[in-house]
Amino acid sequence: MPFRKEPPHTHGSIAQSAIVLVNLGTPDAPTRSAVKRYLKQFLSDPRVVEIPRLVWSFILNLIILPFRSGASAKKYGMIWTKEGSPLKVHTQKQAQLLEAALEQRGHEGVQVRMAMRYGSPSLPEVLDQLKLDGCDRIAVLPAYPQYSGTTTASIWDAVFAHYKNVRNIPELRLVKHYHDHDGYIDALHDTVLAYWDAHGRGQKLVMSFHGVPKRTLELGDPYYCECQKTARLLAARLRLAPDEYVITFQSRFGKAEWLQPYTAPTVAELARQGVERVDVICPGFTSDCLETLEEISMEVKHDFEAAGGKDFHYIPCLNEAPTWIVGMAEIAEQHLIGWPTMMSPSQREAERRDAEIAREHALRLGA
């Protein structure tokens, strides 16, 4: 298999460090054709759907894509902003703020770029651009706090597949999870308290995580356990009693059993039990997106009110919350250890001189 063409090598160049913040992805537009392209890429990933390929190809191309693309496009249209897809907008802003935060903490020259696992900008495109920018040390930071084979592992698949055909591979660091990191839990805690300070507090806090098939847990995926730990740590920081919060799972797809309890039926049952107000937060999503803004804030709200509930409150994701930018910076710093991102002026000057000597030596040898 031929390797891809490398950019021209510059002798004596100083290698740079970078962080790639990777989120799930989004259509390029809230249109049927754009959503169809996005869904085809997303649902064709064997990490996402573990069904024999031939069977799934028939279902996906002849049933799901023709009938679901239009309906999904309408949902995207309900949350689309002037800036574009909320998930893409928030992730881009997070990347920019993270780069600035790292610089303020003394990390000189660390580039932070956003990439999408599905859609654009694609992970391969971003990795290629970083190579052109001279980055020879790259840390990949998923936007998923809890690890799952359906999400984080799919990012690793894409990274490894990309570099399979690259001759000069950069030093790589992969952030597996941060579901129990103090910076992440603190950011969730501050987000909930800020919302309660502004809007009052409900009778029950629902922590809704994205669902995955129950079979993945039985096969060894740690996602369920990591969601439980996140919820437990957040409840402890908020000083909630066990009867003041509930953990649920949303976005079920297909007929197979998924992780339970399911969010929508649980919230409706709370209303039937006489709970007049619920507050819902989605800790597994670091950026607001279709699953939070439409599914939770609209669909689940409707289910709650239809069952007799009176006051439904959705607490937004971390997005660009200052405490979350600090948390991301702390997580990133742990994976930058050992890389020369915090050099004194004298160390930086010495590095520059060494690079110049190396370049001159290489030229004398005919490079």
Side-chain angles (χ1 to χ4, degrees):
M1 183 178 295
F3 294 110
R4 301 171 65 184
K5 185 178 180 180
E6 292 284 335
H9 180 68
T10 303
H11 293 283
S13 61
I14 298 175
Q16 303 297 313
S17 301
I19 295 172
V20 183
L21 178 62
V22 187
N23 215 326
L24 182 76
T26 177
D28 293 324
T31 62
R32 182 187 181 92
S33 59
V35 170
K36 185 176 181 179
R37 285 194 306 272
Y38 167 71
L39 288 178
K40 185 177 180 71
Q41 184 185 12
F42 173 43
L43 296 176
S44 294
D45 188 340
R47 289 281 190 179
V48 175
V49 181
E50 296 184 53
I51 294 177
R53 294 294 90 190
L54 185 60
V55 175
W56 179 241
S57 179
F58 175 84
I59 296 173
L60 176 62
N61 291 289
L62 298 183
I63 300 176
I64 294 177
L65 293 179
F67 296 101
R68 188 172 180 180
S69 299
S72 294
K74 291 180 181 179
K75 292 182 178 182
Y76 276 106
M78 297 171 69
I79 66 163
W80 215 260
T81 70
K82 292 181 179 179
E83 295 176 281
S85 163
L87 179 140
K88 190 171 184 177
V89 170
H90 288 305
T91 308
Q92 180 63 59
K93 290 180 179 178
Q94 287 173 347
Q96 294 168 347
L97 291 169
L98 176 57
E99 183 175 289
L102 288 172
E103 184 176 0
Q104 291 175 356
R105 297 166 82 96
H107 296 275
E108 183 180 341
V110 177
Q111 297 186 44
V112 181
R113 297 291 179 264
M114 171 197 74
M116 295 294 169
R117 176 61 185 91
Y118 316 103
S120 62
S122 72
L123 188 49
E125 291 172 350
V126 174
L127 295 176
D128 278 341
Q129 185 58 53
L130 288 175
K131 175 180 278 288
L132 293 174
D133 292 342
C135 293
D136 198 44
R137 297 179 292 266
I138 298 176
V140 180
L141 174 60
Y144 319 126
Q146 297 77 24
Y147 174 91
S148 173
T150 62
T151 53
T152 311
S154 180
I155 291 177
W156 301 164
D157 287 345
V159 171
F160 299 147
H162 174 73
Y163 285 121
K164 183 177 180 180
N165 299 324
V166 172
R167 185 180 301 278
N168 185 13
I169 299 175
E171 181 178 352
L172 291 170
R173 294 183 179 177
L174 311 176
V175 182
K176 181 176 181 179
H177 49 192
Y178 42 91
H179 62 289
D180 56 357
H181 192 281
D182 287 342
Y184 165 62
I185 300 299
D186 288 346
L188 289 173
H189 165 266
D190 291 353
T191 295
V192 174
L193 285 191
Y195 189 89
W196 282 348
D197 286 345
H199 304 281
R201 175 174 166 177
Q203 298 162 265
K204 188 83 71 171
L205 177 64
V206 178
M207 303 184 198
S208 179
F209 294 86
H210 197 289
V212 295
K214 182 181 178 182
R215 179 173 176 270
T216 61
L217 171 62
E218 297 167 345
L219 292 174
D221 196 301
Y223 177 73
Y224 175 81
C225 300
E226 295 190 2
C227 290
Q228 295 290 332
K229 187 172 185 181
T230 294
R232 174 172 59 80
L233 292 175
L234 177 57
R237 289 281 282 113
L238 292 170
R239 298 181 179 179
L240 297 179
D243 63 348
E244 293 181 308
Y245 71 97
V246 60
I247 305 165
T248 64
F249 296 89
Q250 64 182 85
S251 308
R252 180 188 176 197
F253 177 74
K255 296 182 179 180
E257 181 179 1
W258 282 39
L259 296 180
Q260 295 195 44
Y262 302 137
T263 299
T266 299
V267 169
E269 180 58 29
L270 289 174
R272 287 189 287 268
Q273 292 174 1
V275 176
E276 295 186 350
R277 170 174 168 172
V278 296
D279 300 334
V280 182
I281 187 171
C282 300
F285 298 88
T286 53
S287 298
D288 272 311
C289 55
L290 184 72
E291 286 80 3
T292 64
L293 298 175
E294 193 279 332
E295 182 182 355
I296 296 297
S297 191
M298 297 180 189
E299 291 184 17
V300 175
K301 177 183 179 181
H302 175 269
D303 293 341
F304 178 70
E305 293 175 344
K310 296 182 179 179
D311 207 3
F312 182 96
H313 286 251
Y314 166 64
I315 301 175
C317 290
L318 298 174
N319 297 324
E320 298 86 56
T323 50
W324 174 228
I325 303 305
V326 171
M328 279 200 297
E330 292 173 351
I331 293 166
E333 278 185 323
Q334 292 181 353
H335 296 270
L336 294 174
I337 293 175
W339 287 355
T341 62
M342 300 184 75
M343 301 174 70
S344 66
S346 61
Q347 289 173 321
R348 189 66 68 187
E349 176 60 23
E351 182 186 44
R352 187 196 64 76
R353 289 198 305 268
D354 289 344
E356 181 63 22
I357 292 171
R359 187 185 72 83
E360 292 177 354
H361 182 68
L363 292 177
R364 284 198 302 269
L365 294 175

